[in-house]
């Protein structure tokens, strides 16, 4: 029976006076791949950001590996093994690929992590001295994921990792996430499109207007077309 | 009559000031990009360096090396105090950049007034060290030795700074934090601690700039304010947090001033510089090579 | 306005009107300065506290208003009619305000501040360099002394001594009333909206640039008036009046007193003026420490603190 890695308990997040997350509860177990689905603007990004305390919850708690990290300053999450690959990639354009990979605090594992990263993303090795700003969209996404891996995470959060990518690139990213999962790293990622998400995730949550409206295995979701239609606009 | 020698001397002067001001401006630029702090006390730190240097070299020992080292430590210390007393508390309260500005204007006022009361308001003269004094002959031209040597030394320092930022982990993290502080913190970078380091180093370098310039221009209680405007122009023109941009901007602007003063009175040449700043702020506030960062 | 407010206000006004009768000349001078700075800082509050643009360039609007008096009456034309001097200053203040507003409207926040900073530097250098030979450079202009008005045998000297004090006081009260009317109007409402969320106003179709420019123009008029009064008070002007440091002092008075309240900044101007003249040779330290403390611990300024105290007392 694998441990619960991350748990959100009744998290409420406000943006000024706007009540963005209205009591979100979810959990991820060790080694699981879970998808957080929902249309644009329902609060998926806010959920991930609140896990990292970038938009700290006003109410509720975030527990990671038994520790309450709700009020922990953002930069300390990496030390505990929690890493976020943010929406829009946000790689450091003025730095080279290699320099981007050196920014995270990898500790003593840096060499092994670099080896792992270049194994999963051989294209990055070829371009290691190229400026990140000159990479293609897909390559930048790979760099963003690689950089998040350099944080030596036990749980990897990814915000819309497949957004704006070609079909080929989406498959590539999915394959990389598979390889990451094989190494025992848990994954929670957000997406608007359930088809790609359900290709690798075991469970899924659906967020609608700041509340969880569905929670279950991927089979359960794939079978209920009305839920897919209602909350994700998919036929 | 404009001789080649005069022209070259002006060019060298421009380069001399340009190199030293690159050092001073970098401290301000990186701090502004990293912390969003408009450090109005930066000019006072530069001035403090000149005065501490003057005190140690002219009043106490005659030792320039000791003087230089004292300046670096004194200004680093002053920077540390300012950071811990003002920048860090305001940062943890999440205050906007303008609050820092006002508090630092207050700091600037205190520093300037203290300098005036300790050393007096008349200008002080810092002599050029013996080994650097005099002229170097290039054929039939006699060029100022001190300025040329400082240009050489500054180049070495700039190369060291370049190495620090692009080859060391701390440096790379600083550049990343200037470009995107939030994402950098997601990678585990402690922005406050990094900010402290950069702030203190920036203060020390500003002070060093003061003592390097000191022998050529006199040491006065107004030199901080006088130089602050120019440094801001350089920082904006070069783009926050950009090493190459700040260097290019500094050389360019100091040369415009230096060469401009051959044909125009100095104040008008400086006026041109500020008109240039206005133009840049309106059309391209990120400067030559800057990032959006924290001030927008 | 509540009963207690009205009583306090009337008492204060009585106090102000009778100062020349019982106060020393120096005390009267201090209050005159405080009132003039009060006009200036209220004009500044319109831009900073209400529209949300922090500028260091108001020293130009203020200083050039003062310089216009000097230029017209001493340097170039030997104009002695005070009305012409005042109106010219107002025109210059409005014009410079318009330009400054236009320049600042391209940027936000710190960048707008740096625009105003550059603006101030340009004018300071212009005044110092004096390429047109109108400002007398570093020495400044002295000998500004408009003649007294002759009203049928009875001379009314509004430009020195107690006469000037009452002129300043009346101009101050009129300025307060007018600026208060502006801030309470629909125009003022839009300005506040610009401070709060400019993008939202723009998406609603408001041309915020025009509003900013108009606000700066109005602010320029009152700033220039303050400048004229300073010129009459001191009978001399020097370039420092245009320097951004003067602009910083205006900003500091505003922050000390409390942004966006009109009364707060006036409290700031009184406090700073009294500190400057009455606390001896260490006034710079007191002032600077006060700024730092207020910014760090009293972000709403002294008026904000006073209002909180009054609210607590009422409970």
């Amino acid at each position: 029976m694998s441990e619960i890695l991350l748990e959100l308990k009744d998290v409420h997040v406000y943006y000024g006076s706007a009540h963005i997350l209205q009591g979100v509860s979810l959990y991820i177990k060790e080694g699981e791949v879970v998808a957080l689905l929902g249309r644009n603007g329902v609060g998926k990004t806010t959920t991930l950001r609140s896990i990292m305390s970038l938009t700290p919850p006003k109410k509720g708690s975030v527990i990671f590996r038994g520790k309450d990290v709700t009020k922990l300053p953002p930069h300390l999450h990496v030390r505990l093994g929690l890493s976020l690959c943010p929406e829009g990639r946000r790689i450091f354009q003025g730095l080279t690929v290699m320099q981007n990979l050196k920014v995270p605090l990898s500790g003593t594992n840096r060499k092994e992590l670099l080896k792992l990263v270049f194994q999963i993303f051989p294209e990055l090795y070829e371009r290691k001295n190229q400026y990140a700003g000159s990479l293609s969209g897909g390559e930048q996404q790979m760099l963003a994921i690689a950089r998040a891996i350099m944080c030596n995470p036990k749980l990897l959060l990814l915000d819309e990792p497949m957004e704006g990518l070609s079909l080929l690139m989406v498959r590539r990213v999915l394959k990389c996430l598979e390889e990451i999962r094989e190494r025992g790293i848990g994954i929670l990622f957000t997406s608007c499109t359930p088809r790609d998400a359900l290709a690798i995730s075991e469970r899924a949550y659906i967020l609608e207007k700041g509340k969880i409206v569905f929670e279950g295995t991927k089979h359960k979701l794939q079978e209920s077309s009305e839920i897919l239609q209602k909350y994700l606009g998919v036929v | 009559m404009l001789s080649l020698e005069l022209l070259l001397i002006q060019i060298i002067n421009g380069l001399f000031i340009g190199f030293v001001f690159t050092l001073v401006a970098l401290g301000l630029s990186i701090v502004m990009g990293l912390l969003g702090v408009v450090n109005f006390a930066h000019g006072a730190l530069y001035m403090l360096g000149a005065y501490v240097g003057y005190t140690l070299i002219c009043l106490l020992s005659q030792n320039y090396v000791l003087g230089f080292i004292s300046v670096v430590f004194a200004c680093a210390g002053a920077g540390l105090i300012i950071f811990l007393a003002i920048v860090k508390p305001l940062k943890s309260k999440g205050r906007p950049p303008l609050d820092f500005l006002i508090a630092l204007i207050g700091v600037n006022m205190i520093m300037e007034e203290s300098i005036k009361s300790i050393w007096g308001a008349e200008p002080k003269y810092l002599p050029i060290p013996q080994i650097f004094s005099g002229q170097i002959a290039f054929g039939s031209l006699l060029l100022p030795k001190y300025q040329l040597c400082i240009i050489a030394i500054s180049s070495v320092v700039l190369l060291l700074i370049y190495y620090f930022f692009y080859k060391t982990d701390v440096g790379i993290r600083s550049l990343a934090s200037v470009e995107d502080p939030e994402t950098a913190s997601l990678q585990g970078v402690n922005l406050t601690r990094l900010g402290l380091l950069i702030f203190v180093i920036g203060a020390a370098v500003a002070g060093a700039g003061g003592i390097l310039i000191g022998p050529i221009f006199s040491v006065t209680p107004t030199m901080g304010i006088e130089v602050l405007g120019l440094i801001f122009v350089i920082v904006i023109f070069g783009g926050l947090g950009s090493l190459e941009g700040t260097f290019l901007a500094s050389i360019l602007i100091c040369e415009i001033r230096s060469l401009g003063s051959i044909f125009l009175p100095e104040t008008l040449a400086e006026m041109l510089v500020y008109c240039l700043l206005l133009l840049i702020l309106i059309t391209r506030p990120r400067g030559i090579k800057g990032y959006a960062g924290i001030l927008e | 306005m509540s009963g207690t407010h009205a009583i306090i206000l009337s008492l204060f006004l009585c106090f102000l009107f009778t100062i020349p009768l019982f106060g020393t000349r120096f005390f009267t001078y201090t209050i005159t300065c405080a009132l003039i700075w009060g006009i200036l800082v209220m004009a500044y509050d319109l831009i900073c506290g209400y529209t949300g643009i922090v500028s260091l360039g108001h020293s130009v609007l203020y200083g050039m208003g003062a310089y216009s008096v000097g230029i017209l009456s001493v340097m170039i034309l030997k104009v002695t009619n005070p009305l012409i001097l005042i109106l010219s200053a107002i025109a210059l203040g409005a014009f410079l305000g318009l330009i400054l507003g236009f320049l600042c409207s391209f940027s936000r926040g710190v960048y707008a501040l740096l625009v105003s900073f550059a603006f101030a530097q340009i004018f300071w250098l212009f005044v110092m360099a004096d390429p047109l030979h109108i400002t007398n450079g570093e020495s400044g202009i002295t000998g500004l002394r408009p003649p007294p008005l002759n009203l049928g045998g009875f001379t009314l000297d509004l430009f020195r001594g107690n006469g000037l004090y009452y002129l300043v006081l009346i101009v101050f009260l009129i300025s307060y009333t007018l600026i208060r009317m502006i801030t309470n109007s629909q125009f003022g409402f839009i300005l506040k909206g610009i401070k709060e969320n400019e993008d939202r106003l723009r998406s609603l179709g408001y041309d915020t640039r025009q509003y900013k420019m108009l606000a700066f123009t109005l602010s320029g008029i009152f700033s220039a008036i303050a400048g004229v009064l300073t010129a009459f008070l001191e009978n001399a002007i020097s370039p420092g009046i245009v320097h951004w440091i003067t602009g910083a002092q205006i900003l500091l008075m505003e922050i000390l007193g409390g942004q966006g309240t009109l009364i707060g900044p006036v409290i700031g101007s009184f406090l700073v003026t009294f500190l400057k003249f009455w606390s001896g040779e260490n006034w710079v330290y007191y002032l600077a420490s006060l700024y730092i403390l207020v910014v760090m611990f009293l972000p709403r300024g002294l008026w904000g603190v006073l209002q909180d105290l009054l609210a607590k007392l009422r409970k």
Side-chain angles (χ1 to χ4, degrees):
Chain A
M1 186 66 203
S2 47
E3 300 272 313
I4 290 190
L5 207 48
L6 172 75
E7 189 171 2
L8 265 69
K9 289 183 181 163
D10 193 36
V11 164
H12 290 257
V13 174
Y14 289 80
Y15 204 64
S17 53
H19 199 173
I20 305 285
L21 294 184
Q22 305 178 11
V24 169
S25 301
L26 54 86
Y27 70 91
I28 321 279
K29 291 210 201 117
E30 257 180 54
E32 265 197 317
V33 179
V34 176
L36 179 61
L37 304 168
R39 277 185 287 236
N40 276 323
V42 295
K44 307 193 295 293
T45 300
T46 309
T47 308
L48 293 191
R49 284 170 64 92
S50 66
I51 296 174
M52 297 295 282
S53 302
L54 286 174
T55 49
K58 205 155 190 186
K59 226 171 63 169
S61 52
V62 178
I63 318 255
F64 182 69
R65 292 170 84 192
K67 286 206 184 76
D68 188 336
V69 298
T70 326
K71 297 272 189 322
L72 196 68
H75 68 272
L76 290 176
H77 289 67
V78 169
R79 283 205 206 156
L80 297 175
L82 194 52
S83 162
L84 171 64
C85 177
E87 191 186 14
R89 297 149 210 161
R90 293 180 72 174
I91 53 169
F92 301 113
Q93 311 228 339
L95 301 177
T96 62
V97 167
M98 194 62 182
Q99 286 166 341
N100 262 272
L101 295 173
K102 282 194 175 167
V103 173
L105 251 58
S106 315
T108 45
N109 300 328
R110 180 184 275 179
K111 282 216 181 92
E112 292 127 50
L113 285 168
L114 275 175
K115 229 169 82 178
L116 170 66
V117 152
F118 288 135
Q119 241 179 334
I120 303 181
F121 304 103
E123 314 90 318
L124 290 181
Y125 184 77
E126 282 165 37
R127 292 170 180 61
K128 66 180 198 279
N129 291 320
Q130 204 175 317
Y131 277 97
S134 62
L135 295 175
S136 73
E139 288 162 350
Q140 289 190 359
Q141 184 63 64
M142 288 196 276
L143 178 58
I145 301 176
R147 184 183 58 185
I149 295 176
M150 290 301 294
C151 298
N152 201 10
K154 290 275 182 302
L155 175 62
L156 181 58
L157 307 170
L158 299 123
D159 200 345
E160 302 274 1
M162 290 161 311
E163 187 182 36
L165 296 181
S166 66
L167 208 58
L168 207 65
M169 272 286 122
V170 167
R171 289 217 192 100
R172 182 87 182 76
V173 168
L174 286 172
K175 189 159 159 289
C176 298
L177 292 181
E178 268 286 348
E179 291 187 59
I180 294 169
R181 181 248 290 268
E182 268 165 33
R183 287 184 168 69
I185 300 174
I187 298 177
L188 170 65
F189 70 103
T190 69
S191 176
C192 291
T193 48
R195 195 184 59 179
D196 300 325
L198 296 178
I200 53 160
S201 47
E202 294 132 29
R203 280 191 304 122
Y205 290 90
I206 300 183
L207 204 57
E208 169 82 3
K209 289 196 198 143
K211 292 202 179 92
I212 301 278
V213 294
F214 172 86
E215 172 188 345
T217 64
K218 83 167 177 193
H219 294 295
K220 190 166 150 204
L221 182 60
Q222 280 168 332
E223 276 154 29
S224 56
S225 50
E226 54 198 46
I227 292 187
L228 286 169
Q229 164 72 355
K230 182 174 179 191
Y231 296 114
L232 301 168
V234 171
V235 177
Chain B
M1 195 53 233
L2 183 66
S3 67
L4 179 64
E5 190 174 83
L6 178 63
L7 186 65
L8 274 176
I9 290 179
Q10 284 300 95
I11 293 178
I12 291 174
N13 268 328
L15 280 179
F16 162 68
I17 301 178
F19 268 82
V20 176
F21 277 8
T22 304
L23 296 173
V24 179
L26 273 177
L28 184 62
S29 181
I30 308 264
V31 162
M32 273 173 79
L34 201 95
L35 296 168
V37 173
V38 185
N39 189 4
F40 259 77
H42 205 72
L45 289 164
Y46 160 86
M47 181 165 63
L48 181 67
Y51 271 95
V52 168
Y54 165 78
T55 306
L56 265 109
I57 294 169
C58 296
L59 301 181
L60 300 178
S61 72
Q62 288 297 314
N63 193 330
Y64 276 86
V65 176
L66 185 65
F68 189 82
I69 295 177
S70 317
V71 163
V72 168
F73 276 101
C75 293
L80 185 67
I81 295 174
I82 296 175
F83 185 87
L84 292 175
I86 306 222
V87 178
K88 185 162 172 213
L90 284 178
K91 216 36 177 155
S92 61
K93 291 185 196 185
R95 296 294 199 81
L98 295 166
D99 284 9
F100 292 90
L101 190 127
I102 297 163
L104 288 164
I105 291 181
V107 170
N108 189 56
M109 285 169 74
I110 293 179
M111 284 178 78
E112 214 179 286
E113 195 65 19
S114 311
I115 286 177
K116 234 192 283 183
S117 32
I118 298 177
W119 281 279
E122 325 81 43
K124 307 273 184 268
Y125 298 99
L126 190 61
I128 298 178
Q130 267 303 87
I131 32 163
F132 293 143
S133 66
Q135 283 126 338
I136 301 183
F138 280 89
S140 60
L141 304 166
L142 287 175
L143 302 172
K145 189 171 179 186
Y146 182 72
Q147 280 88 323
L148 287 168
C149 293
I150 297 299
I151 291 175
I153 296 178
S154 308
S155 313
V156 173
V157 175
L158 283 172
L159 282 170
L160 285 172
I161 291 180
Y162 183 84
Y163 179 86
F164 169 75
F165 276 108
Y166 285 103
K167 301 287 178 194
T168 65
D169 282 353
V170 182
I172 294 174
R173 289 190 187 122
S174 309
L175 291 178
S177 307
V178 167
E179 188 183 326
D180 191 342
E182 192 180 76
T183 308
S185 73
L186 284 178
Q187 314 307 321
V189 175
N190 185 341
L191 292 173
T192 311
R193 206 185 296 167
L194 194 62
L196 172 70
L197 182 70
I198 299 294
F199 195 88
V200 168
I201 294 179
V205 174
I211 187 183
L212 288 175
I213 296 257
I216 302 299
F217 302 96
S218 51
V219 176
T220 67
T222 52
M223 64 192 282
I225 294 290
E226 284 165 7
V227 108
L228 195 62
L230 209 57
I231 298 292
F232 270 116
V233 179
I234 294 171
V235 165
I236 296 296
F237 194 23
L240 291 184
S242 163
L243 287 123
E244 315 87 33
T246 306
F247 176 68
L248 285 170
S250 183
I251 301 293
L252 187 67
I253 288 170
C254 292
E255 281 297 352
I256 290 178
R257 245 178 108 227
S258 199
L259 293 171
S261 63
I262 300 179
F263 310 105
L264 296 166
E266 209 182 296
T267 29
L268 283 183
E270 226 178 287
M271 240 177 94
L272 274 177
V273 170
Y274 285 104
C275 292
L276 185 63
L277 176 63
L278 263 182
L279 208 64
I280 294 166
L281 282 169
I282 292 175
T283 53
R284 200 190 155 88
R286 292 189 194 176
I288 302 178
K289 278 179 172 238
Y291 305 110
I294 206 164
L295 284 182
E296 283 184 13
Chain C
M1 181 186 303
S2 69
T4 27
H5 267 167
I7 294 176
I8 297 178
L9 201 62
S10 331
L11 281 174
F12 189 57
L13 282 175
C14 285
F15 172 68
L16 284 178
F17 270 98
T18 54
I19 281 178
L21 303 176
F22 65 79
T24 64
R25 274 184 65 187
F26 187 59
F27 188 69
T28 311
Y29 171 76
T30 310
I31 303 260
T32 315
C33 283
L35 287 170
I36 295 178
W37 282 85
I39 299 172
L40 178 58
V41 82
M42 283 193 298
Y44 185 71
D45 197 21
L46 192 64
I47 300 295
C48 182
Y50 286 91
T51 318
I53 302 176
V54 180
S55 122
L56 290 175
H58 268 63
S59 54
V60 175
L61 309 177
Y62 168 61
M64 292 313 286
Y67 261 97
S68 72
V69 173
I71 294 172
L72 288 177
S73 66
V74 173
M75 298 298 291
I76 312 183
L77 295 174
K78 310 280 188 257
V79 172
T80 50
N81 185 336
L83 201 60
I84 297 183
L85 293 172
I86 294 173
L87 288 174
S88 315
I90 289 181
L92 184 62
F95 177 62
L96 290 175
L98 186 71
I99 296 182
L100 180 59
F102 175 69
L103 291 172
C104 285
S105 67
F106 287 91
S107 337
R108 307 259 184 107
V110 176
Y111 289 108
L113 179 130
L114 290 169
V115 167
S116 66
F117 171 79
F119 186 75
Q121 282 288 71
I122 291 172
F123 273 90
W124 180 72
L125 289 164
F126 173 75
V127 166
M128 288 288 276
D130 199 11
L132 304 173
H133 302 291
I134 50 174
T135 66
N136 208 18
E138 203 170 333
S139 333
I141 307 178
T142 53
L144 299 155
R145 214 173 263 275
L149 294 171
N150 254 313
L151 299 170
F154 178 65
T155 42
L156 184 65
D157 191 355
L158 286 178
F159 305 110
R160 67 191 79 192
N162 292 343
L164 183 60
Y165 174 77
Y166 283 109
L167 177 66
V168 167
L169 180 57
I170 292 177
V171 172
F172 172 81
L173 292 170
I174 295 177
S175 303
Y176 175 79
T177 313
L178 288 174
I179 299 181
R180 186 49 93 191
M181 278 168 58
I182 295 174
T183 58
N184 283 345
S185 72
Q186 175 70 357
F187 177 70
F189 185 70
I190 306 277
L191 293 182
K192 279 183 249 187
I194 293 179
K195 179 177 186 182
E196 220 161 292
N197 192 339
E198 186 174 349
D199 291 320
R200 177 147 42 108
L201 273 181
R202 289 179 72 177
S203 67
L204 290 172
Y206 286 93
D207 185 350
T208 54
R209 167 167 294 149
Q210 284 188 1
Y211 279 91
K212 287 180 186 175
M213 283 168 68
L214 184 55
F216 265 93
T217 307
L218 293 169
S219 185
I221 292 174
F222 288 101
S223 305
I225 291 175
V228 167
L229 293 173
T230 297
F232 290 161
L233 178 67
E234 308 286 343
N235 304 124
I237 323 156
S238 58
I241 204 175
V242 196
H243 198 276
W244 67 264
I245 288 281
T246 306
Q249 290 182 357
I250 306 172
L251 168 63
L252 292 166
M253 283 184 216
E254 157 99 355
I255 298 298
L256 206 59
Q259 299 180 52
T261 58
L262 279 196
I263 299 181
V266 172
I267 294 180
S269 77
F270 268 79
L271 186 58
V272 170
T273 311
F274 271 91
L275 258 177
K276 252 175 117 162
F277 293 145
W278 289 64
S279 59
E281 28 173 61
N282 289 329
W283 64 269
V284 178
Y285 294 114
Y286 298 138
L287 210 53
S289 314
L290 200 57
Y291 293 145
I292 295 174
L293 288 170
V294 167
V295 162
M296 291 190 66
F297 303 115
L298 304 171
R300 283 180 58 214
L302 291 170
W303 180 235
V305 170
L306 261 160
Q307 283 186 312
D308 289 338
L309 269 172
L310 287 172
K312 274 197 196 139
L313 283 173
R314 262 186 228 128
K315 280 199 184 160

